[in-house]
Amino acid sequence: MALADIYQKATLVQIPSGYKAADAELYSVVPNTTAGDFTVSVDADATRVNKDGLIESVEANQARLDYNPSNPQDPTLLLEPQRENIYTYSQDLSQGTTLINTSVDNDNTTSPNGSLTGNKLTQTSGALTRKNLGVILSGTYAWSFFAKKGDLRYLNARSLFVLNGTTPANGNTIIDLNTNTIAYKGTNVTSASIEQYPNDWIKVEIVATDNATASGDFVDFFFTDSDTSTQSTGVAGNGFIWGVQFESGSYATSYIPNLSSGSTTRTVDTSKLENFANMPTDYPFTVFWEGRVDDISANQNPFSILDASSDAKYLSFAFSDAGFFQVLRRNVNYDIDSQTFSISVGDVLKIGIAFTSNTTYKCYINGSLERNETSGLDVDFDFNDILIGQLRVVSDTGTRNQASQIMLFNETLTDAELITLTS
């Protein structure tokens, strides 16, 4: 069966496209009535990337339709956990920073949000820009920022909070601004990545874990002419920085503007459809989800079919580990099935699960049958609601995951249909 014909069988098709912030609604394609509208909760001034590739703040309860900045085609529904940006004056590096042999012009160039707020850092020999984070760190942190080349090729971003009398280079991340690649990552830095934005900007994301007896809870920037790993200061020249963010968590989230001497918190997103009129009343049925893996943990759920009034009634899926996923079925009995499967953050997956009875299901991912459960625990059907990127409402785990689409079918799709749908 052709893909278009499979779509015609769906009782719910949610492809993020239309919304009404005043009513906190995200419209569904099918049904094209209010019966299919999801209710969203989004913090005012949370940000997204718009179809022009620019960062913009949204209204309260405006579904965040987020575009790929380097290829702004179909948007995803951005759903994120609560995060706090503790990097003060995130758009003005002349405030709240220690500037050594560095001057800042904070309205020199167009920034990633389209305003004239890009910071030009002009350096002489021995330069650095330092931020004392002002808090006692403990755990894993993500820090991110936007950078642009001036007349120096390299940028050194130093995660000095990870050090404990070890070689300073272990906290360095050196970015090659000619090739927009990571030229060097210190051994104490967990990960570093780059995303391309318009107007020659890049977003750099760095994850590292604090050392409790570190040399200092601060981070440095400087531009330089070499990718030598042991550098601790920059050279004469210039470059551009904007939108710095430092947050507790294992991955960087969307930009949280922090224009004050304190911190700014973005509250958690939700997207739910309660008491769906076209929800099946019993097995069989099929659910389909497409999206990107934002994180890997036991609580990282792309969707949930559930009773929103209970913390113990749901059918869900979890990106539990880099080496396996889990299918979760719970209602009196609690059945957790782990299946070997390689998962990485950033993977784009198409997941189709045909729940064929209260003890059986088939799970397809990206065109392949990954789990055929023929004798699971007995989990009766008692579910009325749908969540995107979240496990449950009661006793919410607080984690979230974005989505490109989700569909529901009040029947078991055939193996051939599931292969077509998930390929």
Side-chain angles (χ1 to χ4, degrees), residues 23 25-28 31-39 273-277:
D23 294 331
E25 291 178 346
L26 172 66
Y27 301 142
S28 289
N32 62 353
T33 65
T34 56
D37 292 347
F38 280 70
T39 300
L273 175 54
E274 295 185 318
N275 297 313
F276 180 41

Side-chain angles (χ1 to χ4, degrees), residues 89-103:
Y89 303 109
S90 61
Q91 293 175 201
D92 183 358
L93 270 62
S94 69
Q95 297 194 66
T97 53
T98 299
L99 300 172
I100 298 177
N101 297 334
T102 304
S103 63

Side-chain angles (χ1 to χ4, degrees), residues 356-405:
T356 48
S357 76
N358 55 352
T359 61
T360 61
Y361 64 84
K362 290 184 176 182
C363 177
Y364 280 79
I365 302 178
N366 291 357
S368 296
L369 176 63
E370 299 296 340
R371 179 86 180 195
N372 182 15
E373 182 57 59
T374 59
S375 58
L377 294 180
D378 191 333
V379 176
D380 288 337
F381 191 96
D382 188 15
F383 315 108
N384 303 300
D385 314 307
I386 303 169
L387 284 173
I388 304 177
Q390 180 181 350
L391 176 63
R392 58 195 177 198
V393 176
V394 178
S395 300
D396 181 10
T397 63
T399 58
R400 294 295 185 269
N401 203 97
Q402 61 83 54
S404 298
Q405 59 176 315

Side-chain angles (χ1 to χ4, degrees), residues 64-79:
R64 290 198 284 166
L65 305 188
D66 194 57
Y67 291 80
N68 182 329
S70 60
N71 184 28
Q73 301 297 318
D74 297 328
T76 62
L77 177 63
L78 183 59
L79 298 166

Side-chain angles (χ1 to χ4, degrees), residues 254-296:
S254 62
Y255 177 51
I256 305 170
N258 182 24
L259 310 183
S260 71
S261 60
S263 64
T264 299
T265 297
R266 181 197 61 237
T267 57
V268 65
D269 299 309
T270 60
S271 180
K272 60 185 178 181
L273 175 54
E274 295 185 318
N275 297 313
F276 180 41
N278 295 335
M279 181 71 79
T281 57
D282 202 350
Y283 303 103
F285 76 99
T286 302
V287 61
F288 169 77
W289 175 91
E290 180 183 0
R292 185 189 67 240
V293 179
D294 287 338
D295 196 19
I296 297 175

